[in-house]
């Protein structure tokens, strides 16, 4: 056996929210062969298995009665086309390190997605996005391990069924696939995206560069979002909800300052704005709190328990629902002892 099994690991160090939890065992894998081996270990055949990357988008609500597999498959391969750069990236690569590396190599387009925590393998699952750009804008293909056949499969971007913080990996392929690599295509003709928030002021710059946008995004995110090394958190805890245009117009009558962004026949409204207007910044239950500067982020002030976090999240959801008649749903993966989601989008 080439993989190393760690029994009874403390999971607080493996997810950025830092809730106390223990798993039956943990294995770090560095190749497809090790990933397959981990899944086929007989002592865990009947146990649930959970894949972790950076642990920045998952929180454990109780001890995990199974095997945690940490994906550390690393690879950066670049192929040049006449009009673009094709990148083949291992799922275990750190996303922000890849974004920085791309800019250093003059592969532009990902700069708006700077400082998003987590690994490359998580990026298509969530279809990560920020400041008007989503991972799906540049996705060429995704490679995954089919857990039924134990064979690698490649699907094109069109088959990934990307949506807002959604993909086929959260739907039809949930629990059936482990992402091992992602292919991105970055056009050589660079088009900056400056339509959202603090990036609009960059339109006035005569010589705008991707590096300038990257620095601006990093500065904004660092000013708003707490460092998980200092204050435990999982980034944006809730998705920005989509509501009907008619509901948005009704809300504008009472809240004319309510931001909204057109998304087809719906309007996306900022969850952080809704939570802030409910007066919940700084609100705490036990060791879990709504962040003082960014209401979209729930934090571990040092001794939060899973009960604290569940109670706080449910309080936020209920308060926003009562005030605005808008339902909030977690963006993070909140899992129980069997690896199942604690909240569902249809609740």
């Amino acid at each position: 056996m080439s993989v190393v099994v760690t029994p009874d690991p403390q999971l607080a160090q493996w997810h950025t929210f830092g809730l106390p939890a223990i798993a039956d065992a943990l294995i770090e894998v560095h190749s497809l062969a090790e990933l397959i081996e981990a899944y086929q270990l007989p002592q865990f055949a009947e146990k649930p298995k959970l894949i972790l990357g950076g642990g920045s988008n998952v929180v454990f609500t109780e001890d995990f009665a199974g095997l945690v597999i940490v994906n550390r498959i690393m690879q950066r391969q670049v192929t040049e086309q006449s009009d673009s750069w094709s990148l083949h990236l291992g799922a275990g690569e750190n996303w922000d390190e890849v974004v920085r590396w791309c800019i250093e190599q003059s592969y532009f387009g990902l700069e708006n997605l700077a400082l998003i925590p987590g690994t490359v393998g998580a990026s298509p699952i969530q279809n990560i996005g920020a400041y008007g750009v989503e991972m799906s804008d540049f996705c060429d293909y995704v490679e995954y391990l089919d857990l039924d056949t134990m064979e690698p499969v490649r699907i094109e971007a069109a088959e990934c069924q990307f949506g807002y913080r959604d993909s086929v990996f959260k739907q039809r392929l949930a629990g059936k696939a482990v992402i091992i690599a992602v292919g991105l295509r970055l056009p050589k003709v660079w088009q900056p995206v400056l339509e959202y928030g603090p990036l609009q002021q960059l339109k006035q710059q005569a010589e705008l560069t991707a590096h300038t946008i990257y620095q601006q995004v990093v500065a904004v995110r660092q000013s708003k979002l707490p460092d998980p090394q200092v204050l435990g958190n999982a980034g944006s805890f809730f998705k920005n909800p989509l509501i009907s245009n008619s509901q948005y117009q009704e809300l504008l009558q009472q809240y004319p300052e309510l931001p909204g962004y057109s998304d087809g026949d719906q309007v996306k409204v900022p969850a952080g704005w809704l939570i802030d207007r409910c007066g919940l910044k700084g609100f705490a239950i036990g060791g879990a709190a709504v962040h003082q500067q960014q209401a979209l982020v729930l934090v571990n002030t040092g001794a939060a328990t899973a009960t604290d976090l569940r109670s706080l999240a449910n309080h936020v959801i209920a308060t926003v629902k009562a005030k605005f008649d808008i339902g909030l749903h977690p963006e993070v993966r909140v899992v129980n002892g069997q690896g199942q989601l604690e909240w569902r989008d249809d609740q």
Side-chain angles (χ1 to χ4, degrees), residues 100-111:
R100 290 203 312 271
W101 171 75
C102 284
I103 293 173
E104 292 167 358
Q105 304 299 316
S106 298
Y107 312 142
F108 302 139
L110 302 179
E111 51 280 347

Side-chain angles (χ1 to χ4, degrees), residues 10 67 82 96 103 109 115 126 152 177 209 222 251 265-267 271 278 281 283 287 291 300 304 321 331:
Q10 298 287 339
L67 174 64
S82 59
D96 185 57
I103 293 173
L115 216 62
Q126 286 287 105
T209 67
Q222 287 179 334
L251 286 169
D265 59 354
Q266 295 181 297
V267 178
C278 288
K281 275 185 177 177
F283 180 84
H291 191 240
N300 180 353
K321 181 68 173 178
E331 182 174 321

Side-chain angles (χ1 to χ4, degrees), residues 101-182:
W101 171 75
C102 284
I103 293 173
E104 292 167 358
Q105 304 299 316
S106 298
Y107 312 142
F108 302 139
L110 302 179
E111 51 280 347
N112 291 49
L113 304 179
L115 216 62
I116 292 180
T119 57
V120 166
S123 65
I125 299 174
Q126 286 287 105
N127 186 21
I128 60 173
Y131 301 107
V133 174
E134 291 183 329
M135 178 270 180
S136 57
D137 297 332
F138 301 101
C139 184
D140 191 14
Y141 58 83
V142 176
E143 292 184 357
Y144 66 88
L145 175 66
D146 185 314
L147 296 181
D148 290 329
T149 64
M150 285 295 153
E151 294 290 336
V153 176
R154 175 182 289 196
I155 59 175
E156 304 304 311
E159 301 173 79
C160 292
Q161 300 175 17
F162 288 122
Y164 174 60
R165 302 298 176 269
D166 198 17
S167 70
V168 70
F169 302 103
K170 295 179 73 174
Q171 305 297 332
R172 179 175 61 84
L173 292 179
K176 301 177 181 179
V178 178
I179 295 175
I180 53 179
V182 173

Side-chain angles (χ1 to χ4, degrees), residues 193-205 216 261:
V193 178
L194 303 172
E195 301 308 315
Y196 274 69
L199 298 188
Q200 294 184 27
Q201 63 188 358
L202 298 180
K203 293 180 179 180
Q204 310 304 319
Q205 292 200 8
Q216 178 74 355
Y261 304 95

Side-chain angles (χ1 to χ4, degrees), residues 81 83-87 108 137-140 183-187:
Q81 279 82 41
D83 61 346
S84 62
W85 303 97
S86 291
L87 280 60
F108 302 139
D137 297 332
F138 301 101
C139 184
D140 191 14
L184 302 179
R185 187 180 295 271
L186 304 181

